[in-house]
Amino acid sequence: MNSILIIYTGGTIGMIQDEKTGSLKSFDFDSLLKEVPELKKINATIDSISFENPIDSSDMGPENWLEIAQIIFDNYNQHDGFVVLHGSDTMSYTASALSFILENLNKPVILTGSQLPIGSIRTDAKENLLTAIEIANTKINNIPTVPEVAVYFEYSLYRGNRSIKVSAEEFEAFKSPNYPLLAEAGVNLKFNKSVIHQTNGKDLFLNKKLDNHIATLKMFPGITQQQVNATLSIPNLRAVVLETFGAGNATTESWFINLIDEAIQKGIIVLNISQCIGGSVDLGKYATSSDFLRIGVINGKDMTFEAAVTKLMYLLGTNYSISQIKELLQQSLRGEITL
Ligand code: ASP
């Protein structure tokens, strides 16, 4: 029989309403599992580990990603798949980060959560939890069907580093506009095998160093020189995610291009991704992005913001040179970018 490990980190799924204040707070994990007697019917042994202090995912940071990754690493050989229960707010960041931290992952790591707590009448938590476990438990010829980091929410399975949270209200809270669904859950679980990673037979390796000396610069019409200058002057800054318009465009004002140019010459990496949730940066397509090509802005193509930020943290934590990092940013390391 397979064995699945549930890792409970916090989030709405395991919260109850504080009687005095009315706000949602975490409650203990064993009580959470009691809410789902159906777990006993799953054809797998189910073990669980909980964060000592479960957190709202808005409090998650690189140390928490590494804690989750370490739990997976320490329990890797004893389990066939992993389900990470996580708040939905930053689930796509954690999924993206885990995809880079867990190198040579050959088993399923499925993140899920819910919009309503598991104890509430109309909760989406039970279906999300049970199907995430089913997915982590699925094998064909003893090979896991989804040997990668994925997000399961409301009948859809997304590649983790392609997912984004799009709604604070709908049960269908996630999308992956630039990559097909890995699976759909209807009466049957339908896997889209041709777009899912395959196992590579190598040993799992943990990339434990993440460097968060990065900043983001989101373009808007009317952005001031002071703001751009202030961002690019942050001490010890190593990289900037530049969120541009449409296919990678920004103002052509010379003060702007000059500031970006100076930053690049100082060794700061400038990674261009689009504010549009679908489609890709295409440097040089319009005159408003051709200066970027000339001064060495890196083309982030169709990467999500979440993937861009976590890929930078991972690459800056390695010993690669700046030019190697620039090269790797434009390659697909974990299926996060369309080439
Ligand atoms: N604020 C919660 C969190 O992300 C929302 C959720 O769980 O869906 O932890």
Side-chain angles (χ1 to χ4, degrees):
M1 190 154 37
N2 284 348
S3 163
I4 303 297
L5 180 65
I6 301 179
I7 303 166
Y8 175 56
T9 70
T12 300
I13 192 163
M15 289 181 175
I16 45 164
Q17 211 150 31
D18 185 298
E19 280 170 21
K20 284 192 200 122
T21 63
S23 64
L24 290 171
K25 58 172 198 194
S26 294
F27 77 132
D28 79 281
F29 186 64
D30 292 337
S31 320
L32 187 152
L33 291 185
K34 274 190 216 120
E35 297 284 342
V36 199
E38 296 89 341
L39 282 172
K40 296 201 185 77
K41 293 192 189 154
I42 289 181
N43 189 21
T45 313
I46 303 207
D47 296 319
S48 64
I49 293 184
S50 172
F51 268 19
E52 205 169 307
N53 298 307
I55 51 176
D56 187 294
S57 76
S58 301
D59 271 328
M60 283 268 172
E63 321 76 56
N64 307 105
W65 302 336
L66 290 171
E67 185 178 347
I68 300 168
Q70 189 68 51
I71 294 173
I72 293 170
F73 187 83
D74 293 343
N75 290 279
Y76 196 67
N77 293 334
Q78 303 88 284
H79 293 90
D80 300 277
F82 302 84
V83 171
V84 181
L85 299 183
H86 193 288
S88 63
D89 288 350
T90 68
M91 189 180 290
S92 295
Y93 289 88
T94 301
S96 300
L98 288 177
S99 77
F100 297 114
I101 296 169
L102 298 165
E103 190 160 337
N104 297 327
L105 180 69
N106 283 307
K107 293 185 179 181
V109 172
I110 313 297
L111 283 86
T112 195
S114 63
Q115 294 283 56
L116 285 174
I118 208 156
S120 72
I121 297 178
R122 294 179 50 250
T123 188
D124 50 333
K126 288 188 187 179
E127 196 284 320
N128 285 348
L129 171 63
L130 292 167
T131 307
I133 296 173
E134 285 286 355
I135 290 168
N137 193 28
T138 303
K139 284 183 177 177
I140 295 175
N141 297 332
N142 214 25
I143 295 174
T145 306
V146 186
E148 62 172 287
V149 180
V151 165
Y152 179 76
F153 227 87
E154 193 65 7
Y155 305 112
S156 297
L157 185 71
Y158 309 90
R159 172 162 293 163
N161 57 31
R162 294 292 197 143
S163 69
I164 48 175
K165 185 173 181 184
V166 292
S167 175
E169 159 90 19
E170 318 266 314
F171 284 135
E172 200 186 321
F174 288 84
K175 285 216 179 321
S176 70
N178 289 325
Y179 200 74
L181 293 181
L182 304 187
E184 277 175 273
V187 173
N188 296 306
L189 279 176
K190 265 201 245 146
F191 292 96
N192 193 357
K193 286 203 203 72
S194 62
V195 301
I196 300 177
H197 284 314
Q198 290 183 356
T199 51
N200 68 5
K202 294 187 187 161
D203 286 344
L204 181 65
F205 178 80
L206 273 196
N207 291 296
K208 286 192 193 170
K209 221 173 135 213
L210 301 173
D211 185 341
N212 61 357
H213 287 97
I214 62 178
T216 72
L217 196 50
K218 184 167 183 164
M219 297 308 299
F220 59 88
I223 193 168
T224 62
Q225 186 166 354
Q226 279 135 303
Q227 196 213 315
V228 176
N229 195 20
T231 304
L232 297 175
S233 310
I234 295 172
N236 302 319
L237 184 67
R238 297 191 64 199
V240 175
V241 180
L242 185 66
E243 289 183 86
T244 52
F245 308 121
N249 309 310
T251 174
T252 50
E253 294 227 44
S254 54
W255 65 261
F256 176 74
I257 299 298
N258 290 343
L259 281 176
I260 300 284
D261 190 14
E262 276 164 31
I264 293 172
Q265 288 186 34
K266 273 195 287 181
I268 295 172
I269 296 168
V270 179
L271 177 64
N272 184 346
I273 60 165
S274 175
Q275 291 176 21
C276 297
I277 62 165
S280 178
V281 165
D282 186 356
L283 289 188
K285 180 172 180 191
Y286 294 92
T288 41
S289 70
S290 49
D291 277 337
F292 285 158
L293 268 183
R294 178 177 56 77
I295 64 179
V297 168
I298 303 303
N299 187 346
K301 296 177 188 155
D302 63 350
M303 265 192 290
T304 62
F305 179 72
E306 293 84 338
V309 164
T310 54
K311 187 174 182 178
L312 274 171
M313 287 191 198
Y314 152 60
L315 286 172
L316 292 171
T318 62
N319 294 325
Y320 290 121
S321 66
I322 295 188
S323 62
Q324 283 171 317
I325 292 177
K326 287 181 175 174
E327 197 51 50
L328 289 167
L329 281 168
Q330 297 168 86
Q331 289 175 20
S332 172
L333 306 182
R334 309 281 193 270
E336 73 283 1
I337 191 168
T338 307
L339 299 178

mmCIF file of all heavy atoms in Angstrom, residues 11-13 55-58 87-90 114-115 165, ligand 1:
data_model
loop_
_atom_site.group_PDB
_atom_site.id
_atom_site.type_symbol
_atom_site.label_atom_id
_atom_site.label_comp_id
_atom_site.label_asym_id
_atom_site.label_seq_id
_atom_site.Cartn_x
_atom_site.Cartn_y
_atom_site.Cartn_z
ATOM 1 N N GLY A 11 -3.358 28.207 7.137
ATOM 2 C CA GLY A 11 -4.299 28.667 6.109
ATOM 3 C C GLY A 11 -5.740 28.439 6.530
ATOM 4 O O GLY A 11 -6.023 27.768 7.532
ATOM 5 N N THR A 12 -6.650 28.983 5.753
ATOM 6 C CA THR A 12 -8.085 28.923 6.058
ATOM 7 C C THR A 12 -8.571 27.499 6.292
ATOM 8 O O THR A 12 -9.432 27.252 7.131
ATOM 9 C CB THR A 12 -8.889 29.526 4.879
ATOM 10 O OG1 THR A 12 -8.468 30.867 4.713
ATOM 11 C CG2 THR A 12 -10.380 29.489 5.124
ATOM 12 N N ILE A 13 -8.027 26.546 5.533
ATOM 13 C CA ILE A 13 -8.508 25.161 5.598
ATOM 14 C C ILE A 13 -8.601 24.670 7.046
ATOM 15 O O ILE A 13 -9.549 23.984 7.412
ATOM 16 C CB ILE A 13 -7.612 24.229 4.720
ATOM 17 C CG1 ILE A 13 -8.252 22.856 4.540
ATOM 18 C CG2 ILE A 13 -6.186 24.116 5.228
ATOM 19 C CD1 ILE A 13 -7.676 22.040 3.396
ATOM 20 N N ILE A 55 0.499 28.793 10.234
ATOM 21 C CA ILE A 55 0.453 30.235 9.935
ATOM 22 C C ILE A 55 -0.467 30.542 8.759
ATOM 23 O O ILE A 55 -0.711 29.701 7.897
ATOM 24 C CB ILE A 55 1.862 30.797 9.622
ATOM 25 C CG1 ILE A 55 2.585 29.962 8.550
ATOM 26 C CG2 ILE A 55 2.693 30.900 10.883
ATOM 27 C CD1 ILE A 55 3.929 30.540 8.145
ATOM 28 N N ASP A 56 -0.950 31.758 8.763
ATOM 29 C CA ASP A 56 -1.625 32.302 7.592
ATOM 30 C C ASP A 56 -0.539 32.409 6.516
ATOM 31 O O ASP A 56 0.586 32.794 6.809
ATOM 32 C CB ASP A 56 -2.175 33.691 7.943
ATOM 33 C CG ASP A 56 -3.045 34.260 6.837
ATOM 34 O OD1 ASP A 56 -2.524 34.554 5.732
ATOM 35 O OD2 ASP A 56 -4.241 34.431 7.079
ATOM 36 N N SER A 57 -0.861 32.087 5.273
ATOM 37 C CA SER A 57 0.205 32.021 4.275
ATOM 38 C C SER A 57 0.793 33.390 3.958
ATOM 39 O O SER A 57 1.865 33.472 3.358
ATOM 40 C CB SER A 57 -0.271 31.318 3.009
ATOM 41 O OG SER A 57 -1.087 32.155 2.243
ATOM 42 N N SER A 58 0.139 34.469 4.376
ATOM 43 C CA SER A 58 0.737 35.787 4.157
ATOM 44 C C SER A 58 1.963 35.986 5.037
ATOM 45 O O SER A 58 2.746 36.899 4.816
ATOM 46 C CB SER A 58 -0.291 36.892 4.415
ATOM 47 O OG SER A 58 -1.370 36.703 3.536
ATOM 48 N N GLY A 87 -2.297 27.983 3.110
ATOM 49 C CA GLY A 87 -3.200 29.080 2.779
ATOM 50 C C GLY A 87 -3.129 29.393 1.299
ATOM 51 O O GLY A 87 -2.077 29.231 0.676
ATOM 52 N N SER A 88 -4.250 29.823 0.743
ATOM 53 C CA SER A 88 -4.251 30.035 -0.707
ATOM 54 C C SER A 88 -3.558 31.340 -1.114
ATOM 55 O O SER A 88 -3.091 31.466 -2.238
ATOM 56 C CB SER A 88 -5.684 30.000 -1.248
ATOM 57 O OG SER A 88 -6.432 31.052 -0.678
ATOM 58 N N ASP A 89 -3.465 32.303 -0.187
ATOM 59 C CA ASP A 89 -2.949 33.624 -0.586
ATOM 60 C C ASP A 89 -1.566 33.562 -1.234
ATOM 61 O O ASP A 89 -1.327 34.210 -2.249
ATOM 62 C CB ASP A 89 -2.892 34.574 0.627
ATOM 63 C CG ASP A 89 -4.278 35.022 1.070
ATOM 64 O OD1 ASP A 89 -5.247 34.761 0.341
ATOM 65 O OD2 ASP A 89 -4.383 35.641 2.151
ATOM 66 N N THR A 90 -0.653 32.829 -0.640
ATOM 67 C CA THR A 90 0.698 32.775 -1.224
ATOM 68 C C THR A 90 1.068 31.362 -1.677
ATOM 69 O O THR A 90 2.244 31.035 -1.815
ATOM 70 C CB THR A 90 1.772 33.297 -0.231
ATOM 71 O OG1 THR A 90 1.888 32.366 0.865
ATOM 72 C CG2 THR A 90 1.438 34.675 0.307
ATOM 73 N N SER A 114 -8.106 25.899 0.954
ATOM 74 C CA SER A 114 -9.525 26.111 0.677
ATOM 75 C C SER A 114 -9.898 27.561 0.915
ATOM 76 O O SER A 114 -9.175 28.300 1.579
ATOM 77 C CB SER A 114 -10.378 25.205 1.568
ATOM 78 O OG SER A 114 -10.179 25.557 2.917
ATOM 79 N N GLN A 115 -11.045 27.934 0.381
ATOM 80 C CA GLN A 115 -11.557 29.293 0.587
ATOM 81 C C GLN A 115 -12.389 29.369 1.869
ATOM 82 O O GLN A 115 -12.534 30.425 2.452
ATOM 83 C CB GLN A 115 -12.423 29.728 -0.612
ATOM 84 C CG GLN A 115 -11.681 29.889 -1.938
ATOM 85 C CD GLN A 115 -10.879 31.173 -2.036
ATOM 86 O OE1 GLN A 115 -10.031 31.442 -1.200
ATOM 87 N NE2 GLN A 115 -11.124 31.967 -3.071
ATOM 88 N N LYS A 165 -2.919 32.984 -8.038
ATOM 89 C CA LYS A 165 -4.225 33.138 -7.387
ATOM 90 C C LYS A 165 -4.941 34.286 -8.077
ATOM 91 O O LYS A 165 -4.398 35.387 -8.178
ATOM 92 C CB LYS A 165 -4.071 33.410 -5.892
ATOM 93 C CG LYS A 165 -5.418 33.455 -5.183
ATOM 94 C CD LYS A 165 -5.332 33.558 -3.674
ATOM 95 C CE LYS A 165 -6.755 33.575 -3.109
ATOM 96 N NZ LYS A 165 -6.804 33.769 -1.665
HETATM 97 N N1 ASP B 1 -5.358 34.164 4.400
HETATM 98 C C1 ASP B 1 -5.449 32.748 4.136
HETATM 99 C C2 ASP B 1 -4.050 32.223 3.855
HETATM 100 O O1 ASP B 1 -3.562 32.371 2.782
HETATM 101 C C3 ASP B 1 -6.359 32.480 2.991
HETATM 102 C C4 ASP B 1 -6.513 31.025 2.640
HETATM 103 O O2 ASP B 1 -6.086 30.135 3.326
HETATM 104 O O3 ASP B 1 -7.101 30.746 1.607
HETATM 105 O O4 ASP B 1 -3.444 31.657 4.742
#
